[in-house]
PDB file of all heavy atoms in Angstrom:
ATOM      1  N   LEU A  90      41.993  11.874  42.461  1.00 98.00           N
ATOM      2  CA  LEU A  90      40.628  11.603  42.883  1.00 98.00           C
ATOM      3  C   LEU A  90      39.698  11.987  41.744  1.00 98.00           C
ATOM      4  O   LEU A  90      39.697  13.138  41.287  1.00 98.00           O
ATOM      5  CB  LEU A  90      40.279  12.410  44.137  1.00 98.00           C
ATOM      6  CG  LEU A  90      38.896  12.165  44.739  1.00 98.00           C
ATOM      7  CD1 LEU A  90      38.787  10.726  45.254  1.00 98.00           C
ATOM      8  CD2 LEU A  90      38.641  13.156  45.873  1.00 98.00           C
ATOM      9  N   ALA A  91      38.937  11.015  41.260  1.00 98.00           N
ATOM     10  CA  ALA A  91      38.022  11.249  40.139  1.00 98.00           C
ATOM     11  C   ALA A  91      36.584  10.942  40.540  1.00 98.00           C
ATOM     12  O   ALA A  91      36.330  10.029  41.324  1.00 98.00           O
ATOM     13  CB  ALA A  91      38.411  10.391  38.940  1.00 98.00           C
ATOM     14  N   HIS A  92      35.673  11.711  39.973  1.00 98.00           N
ATOM     15  CA  HIS A  92      34.238  11.496  40.145  1.00 98.00           C
ATOM     16  C   HIS A  92      33.657  11.180  38.777  1.00 98.00           C
ATOM     17  O   HIS A  92      33.875  11.935  37.822  1.00 98.00           O
ATOM     18  CB  HIS A  92      33.582  12.749  40.723  1.00 98.00           C
ATOM     19  CG  HIS A  92      32.103  12.633  40.862  1.00 98.00           C
ATOM     20  ND1 HIS A  92      31.241  13.612  40.444  1.00 98.00           N
ATOM     21  CD2 HIS A  92      31.321  11.648  41.364  1.00 98.00           C
ATOM     22  CE1 HIS A  92      30.000  13.239  40.692  1.00 98.00           C
ATOM     23  NE2 HIS A  92      30.021  12.047  41.244  1.00 98.00           N
ATOM     24  N   VAL A  93      32.944  10.069  38.677  1.00 98.00           N
ATOM     25  CA  VAL A  93      32.271   9.679  37.445  1.00 98.00           C
ATOM     26  C   VAL A  93      30.789   9.500  37.754  1.00 98.00           C
ATOM     27  O   VAL A  93      30.423   8.804  38.703  1.00 98.00           O
ATOM     28  CB  VAL A  93      32.853   8.364  36.867  1.00 98.00           C
ATOM     29  CG1 VAL A  93      32.022   7.866  35.694  1.00 98.00           C
ATOM     30  CG2 VAL A  93      34.306   8.565  36.449  1.00 98.00           C
ATOM     31  N   ALA A  94      29.948  10.146  36.960  1.00 98.00           N
ATOM     32  CA  ALA A  94      28.496   9.999  37.069  1.00 98.00           C
ATOM     33  C   ALA A  94      27.962   9.641  35.692  1.00 98.00           C
ATOM     34  O   ALA A  94      28.470  10.132  34.677  1.00 98.00           O
ATOM     35  CB  ALA A  94      27.862  11.290  37.566  1.00 98.00           C
ATOM     36  N   LEU A  95      26.957   8.770  35.653  1.00 98.00           N
ATOM     37  CA  LEU A  95      26.406   8.366  34.358  1.00 98.00           C
ATOM     38  C   LEU A  95      24.925   8.082  34.459  1.00 98.00           C
ATOM     39  O   LEU A  95      24.403   7.804  35.528  1.00 98.00           O
ATOM     40  CB  LEU A  95      27.161   7.156  33.804  1.00 98.00           C
ATOM     41  CG  LEU A  95      27.113   5.854  34.595  1.00 98.00           C
ATOM     42  CD1 LEU A  95      25.926   4.995  34.183  1.00 98.00           C
ATOM     43  CD2 LEU A  95      28.389   5.086  34.384  1.00 98.00           C
ATOM     44  N   GLU A  96      24.288   8.180  33.300  1.00 98.00           N
ATOM     45  CA  GLU A  96      22.872   7.873  33.169  1.00 98.00           C
ATOM     46  C   GLU A  96      22.642   7.179  31.834  1.00 98.00           C
ATOM     47  O   GLU A  96      23.166   7.614  30.800  1.00 98.00           O
ATOM     48  CB  GLU A  96      22.044   9.157  33.224  1.00 98.00           C
ATOM     49  CG  GLU A  96      20.565   8.915  33.041  1.00 98.00           C
ATOM     50  CD  GLU A  96      19.752  10.192  32.942  1.00 98.00           C
ATOM     51  OE1 GLU A  96      20.293  11.249  32.574  1.00 98.00           O
ATOM     52  OE2 GLU A  96      18.544  10.113  33.210  1.00 98.00           O
ATOM     53  N   ALA A  97      21.854   6.115  31.867  1.00 97.00           N
ATOM     54  CA  ALA A  97      21.462   5.429  30.633  1.00 97.00           C
ATOM     55  C   ALA A  97      20.342   6.244  29.995  1.00 97.00           C
ATOM     56  O   ALA A  97      19.176   5.903  30.058  1.00 97.00           O
ATOM     57  CB  ALA A  97      21.019   4.001  30.931  1.00 97.00           C
ATOM     58  N   SER A  98      20.731   7.343  29.386  1.00 96.00           N
ATOM     59  CA  SER A  98      19.795   8.354  28.899  1.00 96.00           C
ATOM     60  C   SER A  98      19.326   8.118  27.473  1.00 96.00           C
ATOM     61  O   SER A  98      18.322   8.681  27.056  1.00 96.00           O
ATOM     62  CB  SER A  98      20.463   9.730  28.957  1.00 96.00           C
ATOM     63  OG  SER A  98      21.583   9.744  28.083  1.00 96.00           O
ATOM     64  N   GLY A  99      20.110   7.357  26.719  1.00 96.00           N
ATOM     65  CA  GLY A  99      19.826   7.226  25.298  1.00 96.00           C
ATOM     66  C   GLY A  99      20.358   8.409  24.503  1.00 96.00           C
ATOM     67  O   GLY A  99      20.171   8.485  23.294  1.00 96.00           O
ATOM     68  N   ARG A 100      21.005   9.336  25.191  1.00 97.00           N
ATOM     69  CA  ARG A 100      21.588  10.515  24.558  1.00 97.00           C
ATOM     70  C   ARG A 100      23.091  10.514  24.840  1.00 97.00           C
ATOM     71  O   ARG A 100      23.542  11.105  25.824  1.00 97.00           O
ATOM     72  CB  ARG A 100      20.931  11.788  25.089  1.00 97.00           C
ATOM     73  CG  ARG A 100      19.463  11.898  24.723  1.00 97.00           C
ATOM     74  CD  ARG A 100      18.796  13.131  25.300  1.00 97.00           C
ATOM     75  NE  ARG A 100      18.916  13.255  26.759  1.00 97.00           N
ATOM     76  CZ  ARG A 100      18.165  12.611  27.646  1.00 97.00           C
ATOM     77  NH1 ARG A 100      17.238  11.757  27.228  1.00 97.00           N
ATOM     78  NH2 ARG A 100      18.328  12.807  28.931  1.00 97.00           N
ATOM     79  N   PRO A 101      23.871   9.846  24.004  1.00 98.00           N
ATOM     80  CA  PRO A 101      25.313   9.719  24.258  1.00 98.00           C
ATOM     81  C   PRO A 101      26.013  11.070  24.344  1.00 98.00           C
ATOM     82  O   PRO A 101      25.865  11.915  23.461  1.00 98.00           O
ATOM     83  CB  PRO A 101      25.831   8.932  23.060  1.00 98.00           C
ATOM     84  CG  PRO A 101      24.636   8.339  22.415  1.00 98.00           C
ATOM     85  CD  PRO A 101      23.468   9.208  22.758  1.00 98.00           C
ATOM     86  N   LEU A 102      26.739  11.255  25.442  1.00 97.00           N
ATOM     87  CA  LEU A 102      27.430  12.508  25.671  1.00 97.00           C
ATOM     88  C   LEU A 102      28.499  12.282  26.731  1.00 97.00           C
ATOM     89  O   LEU A 102      28.259  11.573  27.706  1.00 97.00           O
ATOM     90  CB  LEU A 102      26.432  13.562  26.167  1.00 97.00           C
ATOM     91  CG  LEU A 102      26.973  14.927  26.570  1.00 97.00           C
ATOM     92  CD1 LEU A 102      27.538  15.659  25.361  1.00 97.00           C
ATOM     93  CD2 LEU A 102      25.887  15.741  27.256  1.00 97.00           C
ATOM     94  N   VAL A 103      29.660  12.880  26.539  1.00 97.00           N
ATOM     95  CA  VAL A 103      30.708  12.870  27.558  1.00 97.00           C
ATOM     96  C   VAL A 103      31.005  14.317  27.913  1.00 97.00           C
ATOM     97  O   VAL A 103      31.282  15.139  27.033  1.00 97.00           O
ATOM     98  CB  VAL A 103      32.002  12.174  27.072  1.00 97.00           C
ATOM     99  CG1 VAL A 103      33.098  12.266  28.131  1.00 97.00           C
ATOM    100  CG2 VAL A 103      31.726  10.714  26.718  1.00 97.00           C
ATOM    101  N   VAL A 104      30.916  14.620  29.200  1.00 97.00           N
ATOM    102  CA  VAL A 104      31.242  15.939  29.722  1.00 97.00           C
ATOM    103  C   VAL A 104      32.391  15.715  30.703  1.00 97.00           C
ATOM    104  O   VAL A 104      32.260  14.946  31.646  1.00 97.00           O
ATOM    105  CB  VAL A 104      30.049  16.589  30.442  1.00 97.00           C
ATOM    106  CG1 VAL A 104      30.432  17.954  30.986  1.00 97.00           C
ATOM    107  CG2 VAL A 104      28.848  16.665  29.520  1.00 97.00           C
ATOM    108  N   SER A 105      33.530  16.378  30.446  1.00 95.00           N
ATOM    109  CA  SER A 105      34.712  16.117  31.255  1.00 95.00           C
ATOM    110  C   SER A 105      35.544  17.376  31.435  1.00 95.00           C
ATOM    111  O   SER A 105      35.623  18.200  30.533  1.00 95.00           O
ATOM    112  CB  SER A 105      35.560  15.035  30.567  1.00 95.00           C
ATOM    113  OG  SER A 105      36.760  14.821  31.267  1.00 95.00           O
ATOM    114  N   ASN A 106      36.171  17.480  32.596  1.00 94.00           N
ATOM    115  CA  ASN A 106      37.117  18.561  32.835  1.00 94.00           C
ATOM    116  C   ASN A 106      38.561  18.065  32.745  1.00 94.00           C
ATOM    117  O   ASN A 106      39.485  18.774  33.105  1.00 94.00           O
ATOM    118  CB  ASN A 106      36.863  19.227  34.194  1.00 94.00           C
ATOM    119  CG  ASN A 106      37.280  18.358  35.365  1.00 94.00           C
ATOM    120  OD1 ASN A 106      37.432  17.149  35.245  1.00 94.00           O
ATOM    121  ND2 ASN A 106      37.450  18.977  36.524  1.00 94.00           N
ATOM    122  N   VAL A 107      38.739  16.841  32.262  1.00 89.00           N
ATOM    123  CA  VAL A 107      40.058  16.225  32.197  1.00 89.00           C
ATOM    124  C   VAL A 107      40.673  16.500  30.827  1.00 89.00           C
ATOM    125  O   VAL A 107      40.097  16.156  29.799  1.00 89.00           O
ATOM    126  CB  VAL A 107      39.980  14.700  32.437  1.00 89.00           C
ATOM    127  CG1 VAL A 107      41.362  14.078  32.418  1.00 89.00           C
ATOM    128  CG2 VAL A 107      39.278  14.412  33.758  1.00 89.00           C
ATOM    129  N   ASP A 108      41.851  17.116  30.835  1.00 84.00           N
ATOM    130  CA  ASP A 108      42.571  17.386  29.594  1.00 84.00           C
ATOM    131  C   ASP A 108      43.960  16.760  29.694  1.00 84.00           C
ATOM    132  O   ASP A 108      44.821  17.276  30.393  1.00 84.00           O
ATOM    133  CB  ASP A 108      42.691  18.882  29.341  1.00 84.00           C
ATOM    134  CG  ASP A 108      43.434  19.201  28.044  1.00 84.00           C
ATOM    135  OD1 ASP A 108      43.690  18.266  27.251  1.00 84.00           O
ATOM    136  OD2 ASP A 108      43.769  20.380  27.840  1.00 84.00           O
ATOM    137  N   LEU A 109      44.123  15.638  29.012  1.00 74.00           N
ATOM    138  CA  LEU A 109      45.403  14.933  29.040  1.00 74.00           C
ATOM    139  C   LEU A 109      46.054  14.925  27.655  1.00 74.00           C
ATOM    140  O   LEU A 109      46.869  14.062  27.359  1.00 74.00           O
ATOM    141  CB  LEU A 109      45.192  13.492  29.528  1.00 74.00           C
ATOM    142  CG  LEU A 109      44.634  13.352  30.942  1.00 74.00           C
ATOM    143  CD1 LEU A 109      44.299  11.903  31.231  1.00 74.00           C
ATOM    144  CD2 LEU A 109      45.612  13.894  31.961  1.00 74.00           C
ATOM    145  N   THR A 110      45.711  15.890  26.825  1.00 75.00           N
ATOM    146  CA  THR A 110      46.215  15.887  25.451  1.00 75.00           C
ATOM    147  C   THR A 110      47.728  16.016  25.388  1.00 75.00           C
ATOM    148  O   THR A 110      48.341  15.513  24.453  1.00 75.00           O
ATOM    149  CB  THR A 110      45.574  17.019  24.619  1.00 75.00           C
ATOM    150  OG1 THR A 110      45.753  18.262  25.302  1.00 75.00           O
ATOM    151  CG2 THR A 110      44.099  16.762  24.395  1.00 75.00           C
ATOM    152  N   GLU A 111      48.348  16.662  26.369  1.00 72.00           N
ATOM    153  CA  GLU A 111      49.803  16.824  26.357  1.00 72.00           C
ATOM    154  C   GLU A 111      50.519  15.704  27.106  1.00 72.00           C
ATOM    155  O   GLU A 111      51.735  15.587  27.032  1.00 72.00           O
ATOM    156  CB  GLU A 111      50.180  18.178  26.968  1.00 72.00           C
ATOM    157  CG  GLU A 111      49.621  19.363  26.205  1.00 72.00           C
ATOM    158  CD  GLU A 111      50.102  19.410  24.761  1.00 72.00           C
ATOM    159  OE1 GLU A 111      51.298  19.161  24.516  1.00 72.00           O
ATOM    160  OE2 GLU A 111      49.277  19.686  23.870  1.00 72.00           O
ATOM    161  N   ALA A 112      49.795  14.902  27.851  1.00 69.00           N
ATOM    162  CA  ALA A 112      50.403  13.844  28.664  1.00 69.00           C
ATOM    163  C   ALA A 112      50.787  12.647  27.793  1.00 69.00           C
ATOM    164  O   ALA A 112      50.155  12.366  26.782  1.00 69.00           O
ATOM    165  CB  ALA A 112      49.428  13.404  29.749  1.00 69.00           C
ATOM    166  N   ARG A 113      51.816  11.955  28.201  1.00 68.00           N
ATOM    167  CA  ARG A 113      52.261  10.731  27.516  1.00 68.00           C
ATOM    168  C   ARG A 113      52.361   9.616  28.549  1.00 68.00           C
ATOM    169  O   ARG A 113      52.917   9.810  29.616  1.00 68.00           O
ATOM    170  CB  ARG A 113      53.636  10.931  26.865  1.00 68.00           C
ATOM    171  CG  ARG A 113      53.651  11.967  25.764  1.00 68.00           C
ATOM    172  CD  ARG A 113      52.945  11.416  24.527  1.00 68.00           C
ATOM    173  NE  ARG A 113      52.879  12.387  23.468  1.00 68.00           N
ATOM    174  CZ  ARG A 113      51.788  13.076  23.161  1.00 68.00           C
ATOM    175  NH1 ARG A 113      50.693  12.934  23.839  1.00 68.00           N
ATOM    176  NH2 ARG A 113      51.788  13.925  22.160  1.00 68.00           N
ATOM    177  N   ILE A 114      51.789   8.474  28.218  1.00 71.00           N
ATOM    178  CA  ILE A 114      51.881   7.309  29.089  1.00 71.00           C
ATOM    179  C   ILE A 114      52.017   6.084  28.204  1.00 71.00           C
ATOM    180  O   ILE A 114      51.276   5.920  27.248  1.00 71.00           O
ATOM    181  CB  ILE A 114      50.675   7.218  30.042  1.00 71.00           C
ATOM    182  CG1 ILE A 114      50.877   6.118  31.053  1.00 71.00           C
ATOM    183  CG2 ILE A 114      49.392   7.044  29.303  1.00 71.00           C
ATOM    184  CD1 ILE A 114      49.959   6.204  32.242  1.00 71.00           C
ATOM    185  N   GLY A 115      52.988   5.270  28.506  1.00 66.00           N
ATOM    186  CA  GLY A 115      53.239   4.092  27.688  1.00 66.00           C
ATOM    187  C   GLY A 115      53.561   4.444  26.253  1.00 66.00           C
ATOM    188  O   GLY A 115      53.255   3.675  25.348  1.00 66.00           O
ATOM    189  N   GLY A 116      54.143   5.642  26.035  1.00 60.00           N
ATOM    190  CA  GLY A 116      54.491   6.073  24.693  1.00 60.00           C
ATOM    191  C   GLY A 116      53.327   6.619  23.889  1.00 60.00           C
ATOM    192  O   GLY A 116      53.474   6.981  22.728  1.00 60.00           O
ATOM    193  N   LEU A 117      52.142   6.688  24.494  1.00 64.00           N
ATOM    194  CA  LEU A 117      50.943   7.153  23.793  1.00 64.00           C
ATOM    195  C   LEU A 117      50.483   8.477  24.362  1.00 64.00           C
ATOM    196  O   LEU A 117      50.636   8.738  25.551  1.00 64.00           O
ATOM    197  CB  LEU A 117      49.804   6.147  23.968  1.00 64.00           C
ATOM    198  CG  LEU A 117      50.030   4.742  23.442  1.00 64.00           C
ATOM    199  CD1 LEU A 117      48.891   3.857  23.875  1.00 64.00           C
ATOM    200  CD2 LEU A 117      50.159   4.759  21.941  1.00 64.00           C
ATOM    201  N   GLY A 118      49.875   9.264  23.529  1.00 61.00           N
ATOM    202  CA  GLY A 118      49.197  10.443  24.026  1.00 61.00           C
ATOM    203  C   GLY A 118      47.965   9.998  24.790  1.00 61.00           C
ATOM    204  O   GLY A 118      47.258   9.090  24.365  1.00 61.00           O
ATOM    205  N   SER A 119      47.724  10.579  25.929  1.00 59.00           N
ATOM    206  CA  SER A 119      46.600  10.143  26.762  1.00 59.00           C
ATOM    207  C   SER A 119      45.254  10.614  26.249  1.00 59.00           C
ATOM    208  O   SER A 119      44.233  10.300  26.845  1.00 59.00           O
ATOM    209  CB  SER A 119      46.813  10.602  28.203  1.00 59.00           C
ATOM    210  OG  SER A 119      47.928   9.948  28.738  1.00 59.00           O
ATOM    211  N   ASP A 120      45.233  11.375  25.156  1.00 77.00           N
ATOM    212  CA  ASP A 120      43.952  11.758  24.584  1.00 77.00           C
ATOM    213  C   ASP A 120      43.202  10.543  24.043  1.00 77.00           C
ATOM    214  O   ASP A 120      42.026  10.631  23.728  1.00 77.00           O
ATOM    215  CB  ASP A 120      44.115  12.828  23.516  1.00 77.00           C
ATOM    216  CG  ASP A 120      45.054  12.437  22.387  1.00 77.00           C
ATOM    217  OD1 ASP A 120      45.793  11.446  22.533  1.00 77.00           O
ATOM    218  OD2 ASP A 120      45.054  13.124  21.361  1.00 77.00           O
ATOM    219  N   PHE A 121      43.867   9.376  23.975  1.00 84.00           N
ATOM    220  CA  PHE A 121      43.169   8.153  23.568  1.00 84.00           C
ATOM    221  C   PHE A 121      42.045   7.837  24.552  1.00 84.00           C
ATOM    222  O   PHE A 121      41.054   7.225  24.187  1.00 84.00           O
ATOM    223  CB  PHE A 121      44.131   6.961  23.431  1.00 84.00           C
ATOM    224  CG  PHE A 121      44.599   6.362  24.724  1.00 84.00           C
ATOM    225  CD1 PHE A 121      43.883   5.351  25.334  1.00 84.00           C
ATOM    226  CD2 PHE A 121      45.767   6.794  25.328  1.00 84.00           C
ATOM    227  CE1 PHE A 121      44.302   4.793  26.524  1.00 84.00           C
ATOM    228  CE2 PHE A 121      46.206   6.241  26.513  1.00 84.00           C
ATOM    229  CZ  PHE A 121      45.474   5.237  27.120  1.00 84.00           C
ATOM    230  N   VAL A 122      42.169   8.274  25.795  1.00 87.00           N
ATOM    231  CA  VAL A 122      41.144   8.015  26.795  1.00 87.00           C
ATOM    232  C   VAL A 122      39.862   8.771  26.437  1.00 87.00           C
ATOM    233  O   VAL A 122      38.767   8.221  26.556  1.00 87.00           O
ATOM    234  CB  VAL A 122      41.632   8.386  28.209  1.00 87.00           C
ATOM    235  CG1 VAL A 122      40.510   8.299  29.225  1.00 87.00           C
ATOM    236  CG2 VAL A 122      42.788   7.481  28.612  1.00 87.00           C
ATOM    237  N   ALA A 123      39.969   9.996  25.984  1.00 89.00           N
ATOM    238  CA  ALA A 123      38.784  10.758  25.569  1.00 89.00           C
ATOM    239  C   ALA A 123      38.073  10.048  24.426  1.00 89.00           C
ATOM    240  O   ALA A 123      36.839   9.933  24.420  1.00 89.00           O
ATOM    241  CB  ALA A 123      39.176  12.173  25.160  1.00 89.00           C
ATOM    242  N   SER A 124      38.829   9.537  23.472  1.00 90.00           N
ATOM    243  CA  SER A 124      38.242   8.801  22.353  1.00 90.00           C
ATOM    244  C   SER A 124      37.536   7.542  22.854  1.00 90.00           C
ATOM    245  O   SER A 124      36.413   7.238  22.444  1.00 90.00           O
ATOM    246  CB  SER A 124      39.326   8.426  21.344  1.00 90.00           C
ATOM    247  OG  SER A 124      38.803   7.612  20.337  1.00 90.00           O
ATOM    248  N   PHE A 125      38.183   6.803  23.758  1.00 93.00           N
ATOM    249  CA  PHE A 125      37.583   5.591  24.318  1.00 93.00           C
ATOM    250  C   PHE A 125      36.268   5.923  25.019  1.00 93.00           C
ATOM    251  O   PHE A 125      35.253   5.253  24.811  1.00 93.00           O
ATOM    252  CB  PHE A 125      38.544   4.907  25.302  1.00 93.00           C
ATOM    253  CG  PHE A 125      37.921   3.725  25.976  1.00 93.00           C
ATOM    254  CD1 PHE A 125      37.943   2.481  25.366  1.00 93.00           C
ATOM    255  CD2 PHE A 125      37.295   3.860  27.204  1.00 93.00           C
ATOM    256  CE1 PHE A 125      37.326   1.386  25.975  1.00 93.00           C
ATOM    257  CE2 PHE A 125      36.693   2.774  27.814  1.00 93.00           C
ATOM    258  CZ  PHE A 125      36.710   1.538  27.201  1.00 93.00           C
ATOM    259  N   LEU A 126      36.269   6.950  25.869  1.00 95.00           N
ATOM    260  CA  LEU A 126      35.066   7.298  26.619  1.00 95.00           C
ATOM    261  C   LEU A 126      33.938   7.752  25.699  1.00 95.00           C
ATOM    262  O   LEU A 126      32.768   7.414  25.929  1.00 95.00           O
ATOM    263  CB  LEU A 126      35.383   8.380  27.658  1.00 95.00           C
ATOM    264  CG  LEU A 126      36.315   7.950  28.793  1.00 95.00           C
ATOM    265  CD1 LEU A 126      36.644   9.141  29.682  1.00 95.00           C
ATOM    266  CD2 LEU A 126      35.734   6.798  29.600  1.00 95.00           C
ATOM    267  N   ASN A 127      34.265   8.495  24.645  1.00 96.00           N
ATOM    268  CA  ASN A 127      33.237   8.901  23.675  1.00 96.00           C
ATOM    269  C   ASN A 127      32.618   7.696  22.981  1.00 96.00           C
ATOM    270  O   ASN A 127      31.397   7.633  22.808  1.00 96.00           O
ATOM    271  CB  ASN A 127      33.820   9.875  22.653  1.00 96.00           C
ATOM    272  CG  ASN A 127      33.954  11.266  23.205  1.00 96.00           C
ATOM    273  OD1 ASN A 127      33.069  11.761  23.892  1.00 96.00           O
ATOM    274  ND2 ASN A 127      35.069  11.920  22.912  1.00 96.00           N
TER     275      ASN A 127
END
Side-chain angles (χ1 to χ4, degrees):
L90 183 65
H92 177 227
V93 172
L95 63 89
E96 178 186 24
S98 63
R100 295 177 304 280
L102 175 66
V103 176
V104 179
S105 176
N106 72 341
V107 182
D108 180 10
L109 298 172
T110 53
E111 298 300 318
R113 296 287 177 257
I114 188 164
L117 299 172
S119 295
D120 56 346
F121 75 89
V122 172
S124 174
F125 175 85
L126 293 175
N127 282 318

